[in-house]
Amino acid sequence: MGGARRDTEPPAVPATVAVLLGPVAVWTGIIVPAAGRGQHVFLAAAFGVVCVLSGVRALRIAGRRRAVRVWSWVGLVLGALGLVMLVWQVLSFATDGAFPPPFWSPYARC
């Protein structure tokens, strides 16, 4: 009863979630449309945060499983990249062009 509790969740589950949501986070971070911007930013942030948290969770419980660690890092990096791209575009929109617009998005050039 007083011993350390082991995780019973298979580490491949959060790693898979991170890898599947990673490209979605990157895609939603690349393009922020002019119409429906608030909803898009909310969904993109949700996908990115869930992706990063799933990758971190998979890394914590992976142990010595190399494949799980690699895939969780892939998902973690993709999710973080999507969040950075999203924040860059939101800063560009919020400052009305004072923050330099990203080079990848035609929508960010107001």
Side-chain angles (χ1 to χ4, degrees):
M1 267 200 317
R5 218 174 72 179
R6 292 193 58 188
D7 287 321
T8 58
E9 177 184 17
V13 172
T16 303
V17 169
V19 167
L20 291 177
L21 287 182
V24 174
V26 169
W27 179 253
T28 56
I30 288 175
I31 297 176
V32 175
R37 188 180 304 158
Q39 180 183 10
H40 181 88
V41 168
F42 174 74
L43 287 174
F47 281 130
V49 167
V50 169
C51 180
V52 168
L53 291 178
S54 294
V56 169
R57 175 73 178 148
L59 283 174
R60 285 189 61 218
I61 63 177
R64 296 180 56 128
R65 296 176 186 99
R66 183 173 295 182
V68 173
R69 294 181 68 81
V70 167
W71 283 114
S72 59
W73 272 110
V74 167
L76 185 74
V77 167
L78 286 175
L81 180 65
L83 283 174
V84 166
M85 292 175 4
L86 179 72
V87 167
W88 189 344
Q89 290 195 62
V90 167
L91 282 173
S92 179
F93 284 131
T95 60
D96 200 25
F99 192 80
F103 58 89
W104 65 83
S105 178
Y107 297 114
R109 290 173 176 78
C110 299

